[in-house]
Amino acid sequence: MKKSSFVALILGTIGIVFFALGMCMALLPEWGMFNQGVVCGVIGLVVLLITVMVWRKMEGKAPIKLNAKTVGAVLVGVIGALLLGVGMCFSMIFGKMILGIVIGLAGIIVLLMLIPLLKGVK
């Protein structure tokens, strides 16, 4: 394993743990820790962004350019993930199985659209 991959693995794990714990703290009313959860989640996101920058620097890659294609890809990814999550909520929490499956499949299709959007079709 390369040094850059190991550093990315460690930083990514730390960032994901902070983000997941922050989400639990913020979204579980039984815990009563909404404000602390938001802070913890933001710390996780910052660590994850730092992870991307450190990994790219260690690999000798150029920083990510913020152009229309990058912003579009991020938006498509966010929309797809949200659709998939909403579909899972409809299926598991609200008891609307068919609607949840349809929305979840739409989310999967949107996420699959990222492949040709980023790599192109040859």
Side-chain angles (χ1 to χ4, degrees):
M1 177 180 276
K2 293 191 319 186
K3 188 176 184 180
S4 60
S5 298
F6 183 71
V7 170
L9 175 74
I10 298 299
L11 286 175
T13 302
I14 292 169
I16 288 294
V17 167
F18 268 97
F19 182 73
L21 185 61
M23 292 293 289
C24 290
M25 290 165 68
L27 297 176
L28 292 175
E30 297 88 17
W31 290 15
M33 301 181 78
F34 180 79
N35 293 335
Q36 297 93 332
V38 170
V39 170
C40 189
V42 168
I43 290 170
L45 286 175
V46 169
V47 170
L48 290 172
L49 288 174
I50 290 170
T51 301
V52 171
M53 291 186 291
V54 166
W55 181 78
R56 291 187 71 85
K57 180 86 170 166
M58 290 179 80
E59 288 287 317
K61 296 184 177 189
I64 297 173
K65 297 177 191 135
L66 196 60
N67 55 22
K69 183 178 178 182
T70 304
V71 172
V74 169
L75 286 177
V76 169
V78 167
I79 290 169
L82 285 174
L83 282 173
L84 184 58
V86 167
M88 287 174 45
C89 287
F90 269 104
S91 296
M92 298 185 329
I93 295 177
F94 300 122
K96 299 184 183 204
M97 187 66 70
I98 302 299
L99 182 61
I101 291 172
V102 170
I103 294 172
L105 284 175
I108 291 171
I109 291 169
V110 170
L111 288 172
L112 285 174
M113 287 178 5
L114 282 172
I115 297 169
L117 180 68
L118 296 175
K119 295 291 183 183
V121 180
K122 296 178 183 177

